Amino acid sequence: MKLLACDLDGTLVETEKNFIRKDNIEAIKKLRKEGHKFIVSTGRDIKGIKSIFKDNKEIEFDYLVLCNGALILDNNFNQIYKNTLPHNVVKSVYDDIYKNNSHKDAAMYVTYENTSSIFYTGCNKEFKDFLGTFENINNEDEVFSKEREYNLISIFSKSSNNDNAEKLKEQLLDTFGESYGIFRNQAFVDMVGKDCSKGSGLKKIIEIENWDANNLYTIGDSYNDISMFNITDNSFTFNHVEDGVKAHANHTVDFVHECIDIILNS
């Protein structure tokens, strides 16, 4: 039995409209039909993942590694593991990093309980379209009015500029060091609880199920996927991704279904 852990955005989901190629869907169905396991491993939260599967009902999964490993669910959405960020840390990111960069292209979103909020100033048309995915906009007073725990927060470039995002990541690392999980995912810089990553989440699932880690295959397209690449020799990324990501994967393909073909024929 083989295990495929697959990233979503930029890997399986190709646009903000939750589009998944038909050939990728058929390959996932074939993978599971032949007795192998399909694990979704993403920076998205529960709400984000449900919107994808609402639009792609044919896809079934065995586990969900969400919020870059801070939340793990089984295929019935039962919680297996959770690790959160404390209120004071998130407020510090808001005060010391977001507010000092909001005029330079930075925006921030936070996920907590079963909802999410986004903070920003000024935007272009593309960013306005992105805003449509959030229920709560610029409601900082409400969000920070009480102590709460956060699943994931993200500081990101409104203009989708990777260089700007890299600078934001360095500010987070200078402030918090390795105390929390900090990963750049294209123009987004995600922050999660201590010792959380997609790789750590997959290790927990493998341990729970007593599966053979040598049978794990992983595929992703960004820096927050490297922790998945590092725990297996069967790591895949795409020919078009940044060289810094490509350097950590053992194989390159153009589409997810090509990776699955290799798994099924190995």
Side-chain angles (χ1 to χ4, degrees):
M1 182 186 71
K2 307 294 176 59
L3 323 167
L4 173 60
C6 182
D7 171 51
L8 283 182
D9 296 286
T11 298
L12 187 60
V13 178
E14 297 187 7
T15 71
E16 292 180 5
K17 303 299 182 182
N18 292 345
F19 171 74
I20 300 178
R21 294 171 55 98
K22 185 67 175 178
D23 46 12
N24 286 341
I25 293 175
E26 292 303 315
I28 292 168
K29 290 165 65 176
K30 183 177 181 181
L31 179 82
R32 298 189 77 249
K33 184 177 180 180
E34 296 194 10
H36 306 296
K37 303 298 182 181
F38 181 65
I39 304 169
V40 173
S41 187
T42 177
R44 291 198 183 212
D45 59 7
I46 295 177
K47 183 179 177 182
I49 199 84
K50 286 185 175 180
S51 73
I52 288 179
F53 289 113
K54 180 181 178 181
D55 293 339
N56 298 277
K57 294 183 173 64
E58 293 181 82
I59 295 181
E60 296 181 344
F61 56 86
D62 296 284
Y63 276 98
L64 298 171
V65 177
L66 306 182
C67 301
N68 288 325
L71 181 63
I72 302 174
L73 307 177
D74 66 15
N75 57 4
N76 291 312
F77 292 96
N78 296 312
Q79 182 176 301
I80 306 300
Y81 172 83
K82 184 176 183 179
N83 190 340
T84 57
L85 288 166
H87 183 86
N88 66 303
V89 168
V90 176
K91 187 62 164 59
S92 174
V93 173
Y94 174 81
D95 288 333
D96 300 332
I97 297 179
Y98 163 70
K99 290 181 73 173
N100 287 333
N101 289 278
S102 59
H103 64 292
K104 299 178 183 177
D105 187 36
M108 176 178 179
Y109 75 78
V110 299
T111 66
Y112 52 95
E113 298 161 2
N114 291 316
T115 190
S116 57
S117 295
I118 187 166
F119 316 133
Y120 76 98
T121 57
C123 63
N124 55 26
K125 182 184 182 301
E126 290 75 16
F127 187 70
K128 282 184 178 178
D129 292 340
F130 175 71
L131 288 175
T133 63
F134 290 88
E135 293 179 358
N136 307 300
I137 298 174
N138 287 337
N139 63 329
E140 297 98 315
D141 291 343
E142 177 187 350
V143 171
F144 296 123
S145 65
K146 68 174 184 177
E147 294 277 333
R148 65 175 85 239
E149 295 181 335
Y150 300 80
N151 300 323
L152 172 146
I153 66 173
S154 186
I155 299 281
F156 62 97
S157 162
K158 291 179 295 187
S159 63
S160 300
N161 185 302
N162 288 352
D163 291 335
N164 289 350
E166 186 67 23
K167 293 174 183 176
L168 292 168
K169 186 194 79 172
E170 292 304 319
Q171 290 182 47
L172 284 170
L173 288 171
D174 288 344
T175 303
F176 298 101
E178 297 182 358
S179 299
Y180 300 96
I182 298 170
F183 313 95
R184 180 164 74 80
N185 178 15
Q186 309 299 345
F188 292 77
V189 184
D190 299 336
M191 183 172 175
V192 291
K194 183 175 175 58
D195 297 326
C196 288
S197 69
K198 292 183 179 184
S200 69
L202 291 174
K203 283 183 176 181
K204 288 181 175 65
I205 293 171
I206 289 170
E207 182 179 352
I208 290 169
E209 293 284 2
N210 196 28
W211 288 335
D212 186 349
N214 292 319
N215 290 329
L216 174 66
Y217 291 71
T218 63
I219 184 167
D221 73 316
S222 195
Y223 289 93
N224 65 336
D225 297 309
I226 291 174
S227 64
M228 296 198 300
F229 300 163
N230 289 342
I231 62 172
T232 177
D233 291 332
N234 308 310
S235 56
F236 289 75
T237 191
F238 300 110
N239 291 307
H240 67 267
V241 304
E242 294 180 56
D243 289 339
V245 176
K246 201 181 297 184
H248 291 270
N250 293 326
H251 309 279
T252 57
V253 292
D254 290 315
F255 302 102
V256 171
H257 67 82
E258 294 176 350
C259 170
I260 293 176
D261 287 343
I262 292 171
I263 294 172
L264 294 178
N265 291 320
S266 63

